[in-house]
Amino acid sequence: MGASGGRVLGTLAARLRHSGERWGVAAICIGVGQGLAVVLENVADTASAS
């Protein structure tokens, strides 16, 4: 199944939107000692805060 990364990022984005937090990080293992990490910024709330 190749959708686990999309599911992780989609869940993180939804949680950031729901909680109002600004930053989130997602990490996944892709096997053989390799991994990926992504930092997401919730920019929806930062425009209204300034």
Side-chain angles (χ1 to χ4, degrees):
M1 303 312 230
S4 60
R7 181 177 176 270
V8 170
L9 288 177
T11 301
L12 176 60
R15 295 296 299 161
L16 286 174
R17 193 176 313 120
H18 175 74
S19 68
E21 294 290 330
R22 183 170 180 185
W23 297 99
V25 64
I28 61 170
C29 173
I30 59 173
V32 194
Q34 299 178 45
L36 296 171
V38 174
V39 176
L40 291 181
E41 180 181 8
N42 181 3
V43 296
D45 291 331
T46 58
S48 62
S50 51

